[in-house]
Structure formats: structure tokens, C-alpha cells
Amino acid sequence: MSALFGFRWCGSRSQILFNIYGKRLQAPVSKRLIHKTAGVLSVSDSEFTAAQDRLNSLKEDPGNEVKLQIYALFKQATTGKCNISKPGAFNIVAKAKWTAWDSLGDMSQDQAKEKYVGIVKDLAGQEGGEAEVASTSEGALSFTGLKYTVENGVATITLNRPNKKNAVTTEMYSEWVTALDTAGADDSVVLALITGAGDFYCSGNDLNNFMKIDPSDLYEESVKGSHLLERYVNSMIDFPKPLICAVNGPAVGIAVTTLGLMDVVYASDTATFHTPFATLGQSPEGCSSYTFPQMMGSAKANEFLLFGKKLNAQEAFDRGLVTEVIPAAQFRETVDSKVKEYAQLPRNALRLAKNLIRETEKERLHKVNRAECDLLIERWTSDECAQALMSFFSKSKL
Ligand code: COA
């Protein structure tokens, strides 16, 4: 999940300054940036998470003062009133953050969310001329690590970083959510196919992103990462059409754990399935703590999820993780021909049948997802995780 931490800024500093109660101290921006949520409207959780994603994708650095306000509002919105003791005078960064958070006093969590979303909208509006936080229209799809195509009723999402074994970056998590939202809303799409470019399906989270985090920001970045991960997994839980995964080669971590949320999984006979969470001081996600024991039985799921036993394609098939194993030489051709045929089936019948099969489990899956993401905040901030990663990076050329 390291990839979820990649919160960074580039470009020149913006001149927007706000005080912590949302009044402008200095705002050389046009009136079009004054957003409609500046008053009493409350924002939904999805608007709040969309604002976090949008913040991560800003091109311009808004400057330290705005960043401090955003930090303080985020803490107030997610934790409530400042509940930590004042850092020592020599810890300048931690003290500045504490002061910003503490000065929000008794501001309600809803109010903090609203102001947070408002600031992000203003910043986004200044960059793009639009005040909207999220855009999911097909025309707006422009991805860094994914390829998205629609043909003959099939939306194909390809993890597209073959030289990095399709390791998932922060941007790719957000892009995935956008791609699935778009495919779900597009009437021309009957089903979605997910696969990887090159010889790997996916090597899991991009571990390099751990290296980008300032240790003093670890907790905040972990909370943000957890929210993004939750949204990413929810995009699969809630996808309204058949979701087919073509595991074209080895799969690691999150690329494996989310397979229980796919409706059909085809695997090349070169595919392997590996969840090395314990080695990395982390814990299972993608609802696998629930879906894997259900599909494999707890004894087999435990060996896999707790001890990181690597499975080959046949073993994954035997455990119910895979629908069919297909020889590598015919893999893509066979999968393409199957999905093309499925996409000719009556779309409403497919959608309604999927809904019938999945609906009863949805609430539970959301709950499991939240619990797994919460635990990961603890894991990512633990000494065990830090030590496991240091050991990994010291041995690896990553
Ligand atoms: N994060 C970041 N980069 C990764 C990556 C990951 N998860 N997996 C692979 N890469 C990069 C490698 O750094 C390498 O980049 P380089 O060419 O710039 O050095 C490139 O992808 C190829 O990987 P390499 O290790 O040379 O290929 P391999 O076939 O020998 O091994 C893996 C592939 C996936 C087994 C190995 O890279 C690995 O163990 N990656 C980490 C997997 C992981 O732990 N994921 C998180 C699970 S929670």
C-alpha cells in the first residue's frame, strides 16, 4: 500500500491564503473561485475523499501556509479536536502542524470537511478553470499507468507499467476508480475486463512510494492512503456490471487480494499468486480476509494470507480463486474471444443477475474493507512495517 502515500507537490507556489476559519487573508483569485460550499452546506464522505484525490493531483504547490491549513482541516475532519500534546520547541514542523490543528478549537468535523473541500475546489479551479473536484467523463480520461479502451461492449483496463511489472502507483489507484466509474456509467459498456501489459499481471503496490514520505507525516499519509485504498476496493465491490480479470502472469499483494471481488478470473498457466504481507509487516486487504476463507476454507486461506504461501495457477484454480487456467500461448486470444461472446448477451439480464448474486454481501464487504483499511493505518505506522521495508530495500535493487 506504499503507493498510496505519494502525496507530493511540484511547480510554483500559489498565492491563495486562507485563515483557518475560511476567510481569505489574501486571495488574488477571481470570484469564480468562490465555491458554493463556503456557507452552510455539508459535504458527503465521497466528496471529501474525492477532494483528497484531487489534492494529490494538483500540479502547483499551494505553499506551506495553505498546506498547513489543509493539514489542520484534515485532522479536524477525521479525528476531531486536537488531542495530542504540544511538540517541543525544537521540532519546528511538528509544532507548526500542531498549532494549525489546535487553533481550529471546537470546529465540528462536518465544518472542517466542508472547508477542506472548499479549499481544494478553489485550488483545483485556479489550475484548471473548473471548480469541480472530480470528473469521471470518458473524455477526461487521461491516465499515467493505465490504458482504458472500449470496444464491442467491453471496457478493457490494462495495468500499463510493464517495465515495473505493473506495480501500482498512487495515481493508478485513483485512475482505476475513475476508469471503473466511467465503465459503470457508460451505456455502451456491457462488462469490464482487467489485465496487465507484459509478462506480469501486477507486482502489487509500488514500494518505492514508501521512500517519498517524510517520517513526520507518516500518520497523516497513512490515513490518506487508507482512504484511497478504501475507495479503490469499493470501486470493485460496487461495480454494477460483470467484472472479469485476465491474470496474464504473476500477481502479488493487492493484485491477488482483490480477485475475490471479480466475477470471473482467467489465469495464464504462467500466473502465480503471492501475498507476502507478513514479510512486509502489513496485513491483508481487498476484502481477502473475508472472501478467501469463504472460497478456500480457512485452513488453506490462512496458509496463503498469514504465511504468504505462493500458489501456481493450478493451485489457485484448486482453491477456487481462479475460474479457468489457460495455456500462455493462447491466453489473450482465448480470453478476448470469451469476453466478446459474453458482451453479446442481454446487458440488463447480466446486470440484474450480478446484482442478485452480489447484493446480499455488499454491506458486509464494505464493512470488511473499512476494517482492513483501518488496520493498515496501524500497520503502516508500526515499527514492524518500517523494519520489514528497510530489510526489503537493503536486499533489493528496488
Ligand atoms: N514496487 C516498485 N517497483 C517494482 C515493484 C514494486 N512492487 N515490483 C517490481 N518493481 C520494479 C523493480 O524495481 C525493477 O525496476 P528496475 O528495472 O528499475 O530495477 C522492475 O520492476 C523489474 O523488477 P525485477 O525485480 O527486476 O523483476 P523480477 O522478475 O526479478 O522480480 C518481483 C519481480 C515482482 C518478484 C520483484 O520485483 C518483487 O518482489 N517486487 C516486490 C513485490 C511486492 O512485495 N509487492 C508488494 C506486496 S504487498
mmCIF file of all heavy atoms in Angstrom, residues 51-87:
data_model
loop_
_atom_site.group_PDB
_atom_site.id
_atom_site.type_symbol
_atom_site.label_atom_id
_atom_site.label_comp_id
_atom_site.label_asym_id
_atom_site.label_seq_id
_atom_site.Cartn_x
_atom_site.Cartn_y
_atom_site.Cartn_z
ATOM 1 N N ALA A 51 -11.995 14.987 -2.843
ATOM 2 C CA ALA A 51 -11.146 16.176 -2.657
ATOM 3 C C ALA A 51 -9.723 15.766 -2.293
ATOM 4 O O ALA A 51 -8.753 16.375 -2.752
ATOM 5 C CB ALA A 51 -11.737 17.074 -1.568
ATOM 6 N N GLN A 52 -9.578 14.694 -1.487
ATOM 7 C CA GLN A 52 -8.226 14.224 -1.147
ATOM 8 C C GLN A 52 -7.489 13.757 -2.393
ATOM 9 O O GLN A 52 -6.313 14.045 -2.587
ATOM 10 C CB GLN A 52 -8.317 13.078 -0.139
ATOM 11 C CG GLN A 52 -8.773 13.525 1.228
ATOM 12 C CD GLN A 52 -9.253 12.347 2.060
ATOM 13 O OE1 GLN A 52 -8.602 11.328 2.143
ATOM 14 N NE2 GLN A 52 -10.412 12.482 2.656
ATOM 15 N N ASP A 53 -8.215 13.035 -3.261
ATOM 16 C CA ASP A 53 -7.587 12.572 -4.506
ATOM 17 C C ASP A 53 -7.191 13.761 -5.386
ATOM 18 O O ASP A 53 -6.120 13.801 -5.981
ATOM 19 C CB ASP A 53 -8.554 11.687 -5.307
ATOM 20 C CG ASP A 53 -8.808 10.371 -4.613
ATOM 21 O OD1 ASP A 53 -8.053 10.047 -3.675
ATOM 22 O OD2 ASP A 53 -9.764 9.679 -4.995
ATOM 23 N N ARG A 54 -8.116 14.748 -5.444
ATOM 24 C CA ARG A 54 -7.847 15.907 -6.302
ATOM 25 C C ARG A 54 -6.636 16.675 -5.779
ATOM 26 O O ARG A 54 -5.809 17.151 -6.548
ATOM 27 C CB ARG A 54 -9.092 16.810 -6.349
ATOM 28 C CG ARG A 54 -8.966 17.977 -7.310
ATOM 29 C CD ARG A 54 -8.845 17.477 -8.741
ATOM 30 N NE ARG A 54 -8.610 18.572 -9.684
ATOM 31 C CZ ARG A 54 -7.401 19.018 -10.033
ATOM 32 N NH1 ARG A 54 -6.314 18.484 -9.504
ATOM 33 N NH2 ARG A 54 -7.269 20.002 -10.894
ATOM 34 N N LEU A 55 -6.542 16.756 -4.463
ATOM 35 C CA LEU A 55 -5.414 17.446 -3.844
ATOM 36 C C LEU A 55 -4.097 16.786 -4.257
ATOM 37 O O LEU A 55 -3.117 17.455 -4.590
ATOM 38 C CB LEU A 55 -5.575 17.390 -2.330
ATOM 39 C CG LEU A 55 -4.588 18.175 -1.486
ATOM 40 C CD1 LEU A 55 -4.727 19.666 -1.748
ATOM 41 C CD2 LEU A 55 -4.809 17.888 -0.017
ATOM 42 N N ASN A 56 -4.116 15.450 -4.277
ATOM 43 C CA ASN A 56 -2.898 14.717 -4.653
ATOM 44 C C ASN A 56 -2.477 14.976 -6.087
ATOM 45 O O ASN A 56 -1.324 14.775 -6.438
ATOM 46 C CB ASN A 56 -3.120 13.206 -4.484
ATOM 47 C CG ASN A 56 -3.045 12.791 -3.039
ATOM 48 O OD1 ASN A 56 -2.400 13.449 -2.251
ATOM 49 N ND2 ASN A 56 -3.707 11.712 -2.697
ATOM 50 N N SER A 57 -3.442 15.368 -6.928
ATOM 51 C CA SER A 57 -3.088 15.522 -8.330
ATOM 52 C C SER A 57 -2.862 16.984 -8.738
ATOM 53 O O SER A 57 -2.676 17.293 -9.904
ATOM 54 C CB SER A 57 -4.166 14.889 -9.215
ATOM 55 O OG SER A 57 -5.367 15.608 -9.051
ATOM 56 N N LEU A 58 -2.869 17.907 -7.749
ATOM 57 C CA LEU A 58 -2.607 19.313 -8.098
ATOM 58 C C LEU A 58 -1.201 19.463 -8.658
ATOM 59 O O LEU A 58 -0.262 18.816 -8.176
ATOM 60 C CB LEU A 58 -2.738 20.199 -6.852
ATOM 61 C CG LEU A 58 -4.151 20.458 -6.322
ATOM 62 C CD1 LEU A 58 -4.069 21.319 -5.072
ATOM 63 C CD2 LEU A 58 -5.019 21.120 -7.367
ATOM 64 N N LYS A 59 -1.066 20.295 -9.654
ATOM 65 C CA LYS A 59 0.254 20.465 -10.261
ATOM 66 C C LYS A 59 1.066 21.524 -9.517
ATOM 67 O O LYS A 59 2.273 21.477 -9.474
ATOM 68 C CB LYS A 59 0.102 20.867 -11.728
ATOM 69 C CG LYS A 59 -0.519 19.766 -12.580
ATOM 70 C CD LYS A 59 -0.547 20.175 -14.046
ATOM 71 C CE LYS A 59 -1.365 19.206 -14.870
ATOM 72 N NZ LYS A 59 -2.824 19.368 -14.685
ATOM 73 N N GLU A 60 0.343 22.514 -8.958
ATOM 74 C CA GLU A 60 1.061 23.616 -8.309
ATOM 75 C C GLU A 60 1.136 23.423 -6.799
ATOM 76 O O GLU A 60 0.171 23.001 -6.170
ATOM 77 C CB GLU A 60 0.347 24.933 -8.600
ATOM 78 C CG GLU A 60 0.541 25.383 -10.012
ATOM 79 C CD GLU A 60 0.413 26.898 -10.128
ATOM 80 O OE1 GLU A 60 0.256 27.566 -9.097
ATOM 81 O OE2 GLU A 60 0.490 27.384 -11.248
ATOM 82 N N ASP A 61 2.270 23.777 -6.250
ATOM 83 C CA ASP A 61 2.426 23.745 -4.797
ATOM 84 C C ASP A 61 1.693 24.951 -4.215
ATOM 85 O O ASP A 61 2.010 26.094 -4.552
ATOM 86 C CB ASP A 61 3.930 23.823 -4.480
ATOM 87 C CG ASP A 61 4.189 23.689 -2.990
ATOM 88 O OD1 ASP A 61 3.271 23.956 -2.193
ATOM 89 O OD2 ASP A 61 5.317 23.320 -2.647
ATOM 90 N N PRO A 62 0.705 24.744 -3.342
ATOM 91 C CA PRO A 62 -0.036 25.894 -2.820
ATOM 92 C C PRO A 62 0.701 26.659 -1.731
ATOM 93 O O PRO A 62 0.190 27.649 -1.212
ATOM 94 C CB PRO A 62 -1.318 25.267 -2.277
ATOM 95 C CG PRO A 62 -0.983 23.876 -1.993
ATOM 96 C CD PRO A 62 0.180 23.470 -2.862
ATOM 97 N N GLY A 63 1.861 26.200 -1.360
ATOM 98 C CA GLY A 63 2.626 26.907 -0.338
ATOM 99 C C GLY A 63 2.372 26.345 1.045
ATOM 100 O O GLY A 63 1.344 25.726 1.308
ATOM 101 N N ASN A 64 3.340 26.588 1.928
ATOM 102 C CA ASN A 64 3.294 25.955 3.248
ATOM 103 C C ASN A 64 2.100 26.374 4.093
ATOM 104 O O ASN A 64 1.541 25.573 4.827
ATOM 105 C CB ASN A 64 4.584 26.258 4.020
ATOM 106 C CG ASN A 64 5.729 25.460 3.439
ATOM 107 O OD1 ASN A 64 5.498 24.450 2.779
ATOM 108 N ND2 ASN A 64 6.949 25.913 3.645
ATOM 109 N N GLU A 65 1.714 27.664 3.973
ATOM 110 C CA GLU A 65 0.611 28.108 4.837
ATOM 111 C C GLU A 65 -0.689 27.412 4.471
ATOM 112 O O GLU A 65 -1.441 26.959 5.339
ATOM 113 C CB GLU A 65 0.451 29.620 4.746
ATOM 114 C CG GLU A 65 1.510 30.342 5.550
ATOM 115 C CD GLU A 65 1.619 31.791 5.150
ATOM 116 O OE1 GLU A 65 0.903 32.595 5.755
ATOM 117 O OE2 GLU A 65 2.406 32.100 4.240
ATOM 118 N N VAL A 66 -0.939 27.307 3.163
ATOM 119 C CA VAL A 66 -2.166 26.624 2.736
ATOM 120 C C VAL A 66 -2.080 25.145 3.087
ATOM 121 O O VAL A 66 -3.045 24.541 3.560
ATOM 122 C CB VAL A 66 -2.398 26.817 1.211
ATOM 123 C CG1 VAL A 66 -3.614 26.025 0.758
ATOM 124 C CG2 VAL A 66 -2.586 28.284 0.901
ATOM 125 N N LYS A 67 -0.901 24.577 2.901
ATOM 126 C CA LYS A 67 -0.739 23.159 3.224
ATOM 127 C C LYS A 67 -1.005 22.905 4.714
ATOM 128 O O LYS A 67 -1.607 21.920 5.092
ATOM 129 C CB LYS A 67 0.659 22.668 2.826
ATOM 130 C CG LYS A 67 0.759 22.386 1.329
ATOM 131 C CD LYS A 67 1.971 21.547 0.996
ATOM 132 C CE LYS A 67 3.173 22.382 0.731
ATOM 133 N NZ LYS A 67 4.321 21.660 0.229
ATOM 134 N N LEU A 68 -0.549 23.843 5.548
ATOM 135 C CA LEU A 68 -0.791 23.697 6.993
ATOM 136 C C LEU A 68 -2.284 23.744 7.305
ATOM 137 O O LEU A 68 -2.793 22.981 8.126
ATOM 138 C CB LEU A 68 -0.100 24.828 7.753
ATOM 139 C CG LEU A 68 1.326 24.576 8.237
ATOM 140 C CD1 LEU A 68 1.829 25.804 8.981
ATOM 141 C CD2 LEU A 68 1.409 23.342 9.139
ATOM 142 N N GLN A 69 -2.989 24.644 6.624
ATOM 143 C CA GLN A 69 -4.433 24.742 6.850
ATOM 144 C C GLN A 69 -5.142 23.483 6.386
ATOM 145 O O GLN A 69 -6.042 22.964 7.060
ATOM 146 C CB GLN A 69 -4.998 25.967 6.123
ATOM 147 C CG GLN A 69 -4.599 27.261 6.804
ATOM 148 C CD GLN A 69 -4.751 28.440 5.883
ATOM 149 O OE1 GLN A 69 -5.451 28.365 4.881
ATOM 150 N NE2 GLN A 69 -4.093 29.523 6.213
ATOM 151 N N ILE A 70 -4.708 22.994 5.225
ATOM 152 C CA ILE A 70 -5.321 21.767 4.706
ATOM 153 C C ILE A 70 -5.058 20.619 5.677
ATOM 154 O O ILE A 70 -5.946 19.821 5.982
ATOM 155 C CB ILE A 70 -4.754 21.447 3.300
ATOM 156 C CG1 ILE A 70 -5.261 22.480 2.296
ATOM 157 C CG2 ILE A 70 -5.142 20.047 2.858
ATOM 158 C CD1 ILE A 70 -4.619 22.381 0.926
ATOM 159 N N TYR A 71 -3.848 20.555 6.176
ATOM 160 C CA TYR A 71 -3.491 19.510 7.143
ATOM 161 C C TYR A 71 -4.396 19.611 8.376
ATOM 162 O O TYR A 71 -4.978 18.627 8.840
ATOM 163 C CB TYR A 71 -2.015 19.671 7.547
ATOM 164 C CG TYR A 71 -1.679 18.950 8.820
ATOM 165 C CD1 TYR A 71 -1.434 17.578 8.814
ATOM 166 C CD2 TYR A 71 -1.644 19.620 10.042
ATOM 167 C CE1 TYR A 71 -1.160 16.890 9.993
ATOM 168 C CE2 TYR A 71 -1.373 18.947 11.222
ATOM 169 C CZ TYR A 71 -1.130 17.589 11.191
ATOM 170 O OH TYR A 71 -0.872 16.922 12.354
ATOM 171 N N ALA A 72 -4.510 20.855 8.911
ATOM 172 C CA ALA A 72 -5.284 21.041 10.139
ATOM 173 C C ALA A 72 -6.745 20.657 9.920
ATOM 174 O O ALA A 72 -7.354 19.966 10.749
ATOM 175 C CB ALA A 72 -5.189 22.500 10.586
ATOM 176 N N LEU A 73 -7.289 21.066 8.780
ATOM 177 C CA LEU A 73 -8.695 20.748 8.496
ATOM 178 C C LEU A 73 -8.887 19.242 8.317
ATOM 179 O O LEU A 73 -9.892 18.670 8.748
ATOM 180 C CB LEU A 73 -9.159 21.497 7.230
ATOM 181 C CG LEU A 73 -9.311 23.008 7.427
ATOM 182 C CD1 LEU A 73 -9.455 23.719 6.081
ATOM 183 C CD2 LEU A 73 -10.518 23.320 8.322
ATOM 184 N N PHE A 74 -7.908 18.598 7.695
ATOM 185 C CA PHE A 74 -7.983 17.146 7.513
ATOM 186 C C PHE A 74 -8.012 16.446 8.868
ATOM 187 O O PHE A 74 -8.812 15.550 9.118
ATOM 188 C CB PHE A 74 -6.797 16.670 6.669
ATOM 189 C CG PHE A 74 -6.819 15.186 6.428
ATOM 190 C CD1 PHE A 74 -7.617 14.647 5.428
ATOM 191 C CD2 PHE A 74 -6.065 14.322 7.208
ATOM 192 C CE1 PHE A 74 -7.670 13.277 5.209
ATOM 193 C CE2 PHE A 74 -6.107 12.956 7.007
ATOM 194 C CZ PHE A 74 -6.919 12.431 5.998
ATOM 195 N N LYS A 75 -7.122 16.879 9.761
ATOM 196 C CA LYS A 75 -7.062 16.253 11.086
ATOM 197 C C LYS A 75 -8.374 16.486 11.848
ATOM 198 O O LYS A 75 -8.898 15.592 12.490
ATOM 199 C CB LYS A 75 -5.890 16.827 11.901
ATOM 200 C CG LYS A 75 -4.531 16.502 11.342
ATOM 201 C CD LYS A 75 -4.184 15.051 11.454
ATOM 202 C CE LYS A 75 -3.909 14.630 12.864
ATOM 203 N NZ LYS A 75 -3.539 13.191 12.929
ATOM 204 N N GLN A 76 -8.861 17.731 11.769
ATOM 205 C CA GLN A 76 -10.097 18.058 12.480
ATOM 206 C C GLN A 76 -11.259 17.236 11.916
ATOM 207 O O GLN A 76 -12.102 16.742 12.652
ATOM 208 C CB GLN A 76 -10.389 19.569 12.317
ATOM 209 C CG GLN A 76 -11.474 20.104 13.237
ATOM 210 C CD GLN A 76 -10.920 20.480 14.616
ATOM 211 O OE1 GLN A 76 -9.714 20.398 14.853
ATOM 212 N NE2 GLN A 76 -11.794 20.876 15.527
ATOM 213 N N ALA A 77 -11.267 17.085 10.579
ATOM 214 C CA ALA A 77 -12.363 16.355 9.922
ATOM 215 C C ALA A 77 -12.317 14.874 10.246
ATOM 216 O O ALA A 77 -13.350 14.228 10.384
ATOM 217 C CB ALA A 77 -12.287 16.567 8.407
ATOM 218 N N THR A 78 -11.123 14.302 10.367
ATOM 219 C CA THR A 78 -11.025 12.848 10.544
ATOM 220 C C THR A 78 -10.890 12.446 12.013
ATOM 221 O O THR A 78 -11.345 11.380 12.400
ATOM 222 C CB THR A 78 -9.826 12.274 9.761
ATOM 223 O OG1 THR A 78 -8.643 12.994 10.122
ATOM 224 C CG2 THR A 78 -10.045 12.390 8.261
ATOM 225 N N THR A 79 -10.280 13.315 12.823
ATOM 226 C CA THR A 79 -10.040 12.946 14.226
ATOM 227 C C THR A 79 -10.888 13.767 15.189
ATOM 228 O O THR A 79 -11.242 13.310 16.267
ATOM 229 C CB THR A 79 -8.542 13.172 14.565
ATOM 230 O OG1 THR A 79 -7.762 12.496 13.599
ATOM 231 C CG2 THR A 79 -8.176 12.674 15.944
ATOM 232 N N GLY A 80 -11.202 15.001 14.817
ATOM 233 C CA GLY A 80 -11.894 15.918 15.729
ATOM 234 C C GLY A 80 -10.885 16.877 16.358
ATOM 235 O O GLY A 80 -9.784 17.071 15.838
ATOM 236 N N LYS A 81 -11.273 17.435 17.506
ATOM 237 C CA LYS A 81 -10.443 18.436 18.187
ATOM 238 C C LYS A 81 -9.024 17.902 18.455
ATOM 239 O O LYS A 81 -8.865 16.708 18.739
ATOM 240 C CB LYS A 81 -11.137 18.768 19.513
ATOM 241 C CG LYS A 81 -10.555 19.918 20.243
ATOM 242 C CD LYS A 81 -11.396 20.220 21.473
ATOM 243 C CE LYS A 81 -10.613 21.250 22.274
ATOM 244 N NZ LYS A 81 -11.413 22.073 23.084
ATOM 245 N N CYS A 82 -8.040 18.780 18.374
ATOM 246 C CA CYS A 82 -6.638 18.379 18.582
ATOM 247 C C CYS A 82 -6.487 17.640 19.920
ATOM 248 O O CYS A 82 -6.857 18.162 20.976
ATOM 249 C CB CYS A 82 -5.759 19.634 18.571
ATOM 250 S SG CYS A 82 -4.019 19.254 18.793
ATOM 251 N N ASN A 83 -5.951 16.422 19.845
ATOM 252 C CA ASN A 83 -5.898 15.578 21.053
ATOM 253 C C ASN A 83 -4.483 15.084 21.353
ATOM 254 O O ASN A 83 -4.307 14.086 22.020
ATOM 255 C CB ASN A 83 -6.844 14.379 20.890
ATOM 256 C CG ASN A 83 -6.484 13.539 19.679
ATOM 257 O OD1 ASN A 83 -5.517 13.848 18.996
ATOM 258 N ND2 ASN A 83 -7.235 12.488 19.423
ATOM 259 N N ILE A 84 -3.493 15.792 20.793
ATOM 260 C CA ILE A 84 -2.125 15.365 21.079
ATOM 261 C C ILE A 84 -1.386 16.492 21.807
ATOM 262 O O ILE A 84 -1.767 17.659 21.685
ATOM 263 C CB ILE A 84 -1.342 14.986 19.788
ATOM 264 C CG1 ILE A 84 -1.401 16.119 18.755
ATOM 265 C CG2 ILE A 84 -1.875 13.696 19.176
ATOM 266 C CD1 ILE A 84 -0.486 15.912 17.568
ATOM 267 N N SER A 85 -0.356 16.138 22.546
ATOM 268 C CA SER A 85 0.322 17.186 23.302
ATOM 269 C C SER A 85 1.242 18.009 22.398
ATOM 270 O O SER A 85 1.714 17.526 21.364
ATOM 271 C CB SER A 85 1.082 16.590 24.478
ATOM 272 O OG SER A 85 1.791 15.477 24.039
ATOM 273 N N LYS A 86 1.481 19.219 22.839
ATOM 274 C CA LYS A 86 2.253 20.175 22.031
ATOM 275 C C LYS A 86 3.693 19.687 21.881
ATOM 276 O O LYS A 86 4.355 19.382 22.893
ATOM 277 C CB LYS A 86 2.234 21.527 22.747
ATOM 278 C CG LYS A 86 2.795 22.651 21.929
ATOM 279 C CD LYS A 86 2.583 23.956 22.684
ATOM 280 C CE LYS A 86 3.145 25.109 21.893
ATOM 281 N NZ LYS A 86 2.899 26.382 22.546
ATOM 282 N N PRO A 87 4.196 19.588 20.630
ATOM 283 C CA PRO A 87 5.587 19.140 20.451
ATOM 284 C C PRO A 87 6.574 20.175 21.004
ATOM 285 O O PRO A 87 6.247 21.353 21.149
ATOM 286 C CB PRO A 87 5.733 19.036 18.926
ATOM 287 C CG PRO A 87 4.353 19.064 18.391
ATOM 288 C CD PRO A 87 3.524 19.833 19.363
#
